[in-house]
Amino acid sequence: MVRIRTACATLALVGATVGVAAVPAGAAPVATPQAAAQATTCPTGWGSLPKTDTSATLAPVKDIRTGRHACFDRMVIDLPGGGSDVGYSVRYVDQLHQDGSGRHIPVAGGAVLEVRVAAPAYDPETGAATYPGRVARPLPGVDLTGYRTFRDTRFAGSFEGETQVGLGVRARLPFRVLQLDGRVIVDVAHSWSGTS
């Protein structure tokens, strides 16, 4: 009987020692990606009202791409040679209508941003397309799988020197527009609260 108690006590002591040795003193709990994302403080104050710049360029649109960030989803319109002051108009619309024809282009999502860039998607001298987008189709090469805000993209065409894109988003959320050398950038926040 004494041997059994001694054996049980020894096993309990060994188990406790192994358990303590496995967790170093002062070890912090491992943060999950969701917990890390929830702790991110995001910029606020962008608002959801229309944003415009009346500049224009003849440098054509070459590419439209998207990216995911901690606080927002991003669309980048590349216009090599367009400089840092390319005109644009970005606003929420009830429906996307193609310039010139007025044709309704369905865009999925809880809200639709109409993105216009004051630049053609064709070579102004030859009329040859510089961007492979097809009217009413999703943007070529853009995959929105895993995005928190973006839901859909649709190319609406290029008419009289302006290129038009529909961007479907989860809801009417704050956005900003940035101009960098040869690029117009549209960021749409994940939320209104300033946290990701």
Side-chain angles (χ1 to χ4, degrees), residues 14 63 80 99 101 189:
V14 169
D63 192 21
D99 283 347
S101 72

Side-chain angles (χ1 to χ4, degrees), residues 25 32 36 50 58 73 102-103 107 112 150 163 171 173 177 179 185 188:
T32 64
L58 292 177
D73 290 348
R103 172 185 172 189
V107 182
V112 177
F150 290 176
T163 300
L173 293 162
V177 181
Q179 297 165 308
I185 298 168
V188 183

Side-chain angles (χ1 to χ4, degrees), residues 8-103:
C8 288
T10 302
L11 285 175
L13 183 58
V14 169
T17 303
V18 170
V20 171
V23 180
V30 176
T32 64
Q34 288 105 350
Q38 289 172 353
T40 302
T41 301
C42 299
T44 58
W46 296 350
S48 64
L49 295 177
K51 295 164 180 57
T52 60
D53 182 307
T54 57
S55 304
T57 183
L58 292 177
V61 173
K62 297 283 187 170
D63 192 21
I64 303 175
R65 53 198 165 88
T66 60
R68 297 181 293 171
H69 294 266
C71 298
F72 53 85
D73 290 348
R74 170 171 282 181
M75 173 183 278
V76 179
I77 299 141
D78 289 312
L79 310 100
S84 59
D85 193 24
V86 176
Y88 61 82
S89 170
V90 182
R91 65 190 179 115
Y92 281 103
V93 294
D94 293 331
Q95 294 183 331
L96 181 66
H97 292 277
Q98 182 185 35
D99 283 347
S101 72
R103 172 185 172 189

